[in-house]
Amino acid sequence: MPQLKVVIIGGGVGGLTAAIALRQHPALHVELYEQATSFREIGALIGLAPNGLRTLEKLGVEDVLTDEIGFRNPDPIPMIYKHWKTGDTLSADKYHNVPEKRHQMARMHRASLQKALLKKLPSDVLHLGKRVVDVDVSDERRVIVTFEDSTSVAADLVIGADGIKSRVRKSFVPDHELKWTGDAIFRSTFPYELVKDIPDLPRNSTHFTGPRSWFFPSRMGKDEFGVTCSFPVNDQDPDAPFQDLVWNAPADVQTVQEAFKDFNPLVRAIADRIPSVRRYANVAGAGLKHWTFSNRVTLLGDAAHTHGGAFAAGASLAIDDAYALYLALSTTIQTSAEVSPERLAYALSLYETTRRPQSDRVLRVVHGMITDHRGRMGRFWEEGVEEPDEEFRQRVAARLDPVWLTEHDVEKTFEKVLTASREVGVEVARL
């Protein structure tokens, strides 16, 4: 019997994870298309939370569970927040149900994660240099994806995993708007050797946070180090720098050193060792009404929920999206003989119902944080009023516990959705 042809657009974390998962399904034929001409070792420091690590373990991507690739805090805490000036501890996240060290929050280079995922895929399913220009669902059963090089591919199912600026999403939601959050973000990765002799370098990944800016240094894997930092830009001043919406653009290290010159001596010492830096404009978008179009196209990862990187959750969210889609398709279409438009529509409904509540909550929280932050910055730019230190300390201490996000069990959530679906009378056998 013919297999269901699945085309994945996007070779990032979500797309590669989806390819690994869906290739385990005997009724699916999977191909992945990526606009880059090679899988280069680019990117920066990323974190994988327990939920993402557990899901990758189920899929056999075990390299990310090693200390060679992922750095885990020596102390059993996911993250600690310290005062920008004094270094006092303001807040610390905690694990609720992560008994295994290998599942604890891991910091790594994005390229290391990408390499671990690529090891699980044969090269002949990966098609590079394929930039999408159109996704057409006018045919009743097929989807036609056209690329910039004038080639095209037909599929039974298209998965848009092509990031926050998704071209697949744009084909169906052309008015979806990404808005700048008002911050400039700088990222750098370099050998741990460059900083390991700094006195009092934190043993745990530590977020130095201030009323306006923050600086996050962390080890990555066994022998790398990363810095991600951010400060607000006065968007009320048309001449203020860093208002252009760039991504991975070259930047001057002195910009970072100047921006954090008033932070505590440890931050300044780390900033002085940064060899190079890249700049990003953080953007976020509103939640979509739905992720599935014509029951033959769906979205996952940043293409589906444009949350702008908050909580360092993007990779783990995309991984769980991919696994939920695999569970939905595996439950609904078990053999090639069972492939039908009705079963595919049901599978996509299960997938979206499983993942939407969590991603919608992420977006609500993120946009609330953005609104509050821009309000504080507006008062600062207009009136020169800084948030009082005591109010700042209380705000950080009252942070939302991210356990609902970082320890989310996507498989258990899927089982609940499936049971509820059956209770209201939707049976796979009837489709």
Side-chain angles (χ1 to χ4, degrees):
M1 295 294 293
Q3 293 176 301
L4 186 84
K5 184 172 181 179
V6 179
V7 164
I8 300 169
I9 304 299
V13 173
L16 293 173
T17 303
I20 293 168
L22 297 182
R23 276 178 45 81
Q24 298 180 12
H25 195 313
L28 306 182
H29 174 79
V30 180
E31 303 279 340
L32 184 146
Y33 293 79
E34 161 61 34
Q35 68 177 356
T37 56
S38 65
F39 286 106
R40 294 174 296 159
E41 293 193 2
I42 61 173
L45 164 67
I46 65 169
L48 280 185
N51 60 310
L53 290 165
R54 286 167 172 159
T55 297
L56 288 179
E57 185 175 44
K58 292 174 184 177
L59 294 173
V61 187
E62 296 178 348
D63 284 1
V64 297
L65 303 173
T66 68
D67 293 337
E68 187 75 23
I69 287 182
F71 171 78
R72 292 157 182 82
N73 284 340
D75 297 323
I77 51 174
M79 177 73 93
I80 186 168
Y81 294 81
K82 292 193 174 185
H83 193 279
W84 66 285
K85 190 71 170 177
T86 67
D88 297 344
T89 297
L90 303 175
S91 176
D93 295 339
K94 63 180 181 179
Y95 295 113
H96 292 249
N97 185 24
V98 189
E100 301 290 340
K101 181 78 171 180
R102 69 182 186 278
H103 296 147
Q104 292 183 3
M105 175 70 78
R107 273 92 187 186
M108 62 191 69
H109 199 295
R110 182 184 181 278
S112 298
L113 173 56
Q114 181 187 69
K115 186 176 181 179
L117 295 170
L118 285 169
K119 281 176 63 175
K120 296 295 179 178
L121 292 170
S123 60
D124 60 356
V125 307
L126 306 173
H127 307 276
L128 302 178
K130 295 294 184 179
R131 183 177 176 86
V132 171
V133 295
D134 184 57
V135 182
D136 182 13
V137 292
S138 59
D139 187 298
E140 290 186 0
R141 296 185 70 93
R142 299 189 308 165
V143 186
I144 306 297
V145 181
T146 303
F147 301 103
E148 202 169 60
D149 61 4
S150 299
T151 62
S152 62
V153 62
D156 299 297
L157 171 62
V158 169
I159 301 168
D162 50 339
I164 197 165
K165 297 181 180 180
S166 170
R167 286 176 167 252
V168 176
R169 184 185 66 234
K170 188 174 180 62
S171 293
F172 300 95
V173 194
D175 59 347
H176 182 71
E177 186 179 2
L178 297 174
K179 295 184 178 180
W180 179 44
T181 63
D183 295 319
I185 294 180
F186 296 80
R187 295 186 173 115
S188 180
T189 60
F190 48 89
Y192 175 55
E193 287 280 339
L194 295 183
V195 295
K196 72 176 188 178
D197 66 326
I198 294 177
D200 301 320
L201 191 70
R203 60 190 257 115
N204 298 305
S205 300
T206 302
H207 195 288
F208 293 95
T209 186
R212 289 175 283 128
S213 308
W214 53 264
F215 188 97
F216 176 56
S218 174
R219 292 189 63 175
M220 303 189 305
K222 184 179 179 181
D223 55 11
E224 293 183 288
F225 199 84
V227 171
T228 304
C229 55
S230 174
F231 58 79
V233 175
N234 185 1
D235 56 0
Q236 300 177 18
D237 178 1
D239 297 323
F242 311 128
Q243 298 191 57
D244 49 330
L245 301 185
V246 300
W247 191 259
N248 195 35
D252 191 335
V253 173
Q254 290 185 343
T255 299
V256 171
Q257 295 166 346
E258 177 66 21
F260 294 94
K261 66 181 182 180
D262 294 326
F263 270 54
N264 64 67
L266 175 59
V267 168
R268 298 200 304 269
I270 296 171
D272 285 344
R273 302 286 181 90
I274 296 175
S276 62
V277 70
R278 311 289 290 188
R279 179 166 66 92
Y280 302 75
N282 198 31
V283 295
L288 301 175
K289 292 181 180 179
H290 51 85
W291 300 353
T292 300
F293 310 95
S294 300
N295 292 325
R296 284 165 286 160
V297 178
T298 195
L299 305 173
L300 67 75
D302 287 347
H305 33 83
T306 51
H307 74 289
F311 300 107
S316 292
L317 282 169
I319 289 165
D320 275 356
D321 286 351
Y323 194 59
L325 182 56
Y326 163 73
L327 293 173
L329 289 167
S330 297
T331 300
T332 310
I333 303 171
Q334 296 179 357
T335 69
S336 298
E338 295 176 335
V339 173
S340 70
E342 294 78 17
R343 285 177 180 269
L344 182 55
Y346 179 46
L348 296 180
S349 174
L350 289 175
Y351 160 61
E352 193 165 332
T353 304
T354 299
R355 295 302 294 150
R356 278 291 294 271
Q358 189 192 41
S359 66
D360 284 352
R361 183 179 179 184
V362 171
L363 288 167
R364 287 195 301 272
V365 171
V366 165
H367 286 289
M369 292 166 57
I370 291 172
T371 298
D372 291 345
H373 177 64
R374 290 187 74 95
R376 288 191 298 272
M377 290 306 94
R379 290 188 293 275
F380 178 77
W381 301 129
E382 293 173 10
E383 306 167 20
V385 177
E386 183 77 270
E387 181 180 20
D389 189 63
E390 187 58 33
E391 290 184 15
F392 161 68
R393 289 172 176 267
Q394 291 175 1
R395 175 167 60 83
V396 177
R399 290 177 54 259
L400 178 68
D401 184 343
V403 64
W404 59 274
L405 181 61
T406 58
E407 296 183 31
H408 178 74
D409 188 332
V410 66
E411 191 164 7
K412 184 182 292 185
T413 301
F414 174 77
E415 291 299 333
K416 290 179 179 178
V417 168
L418 182 62
T419 298
S421 174
R422 288 170 173 167
E423 287 175 351
V424 297
V426 179
E427 289 288 349
V428 175
R430 299 177 187 172
L431 298 175

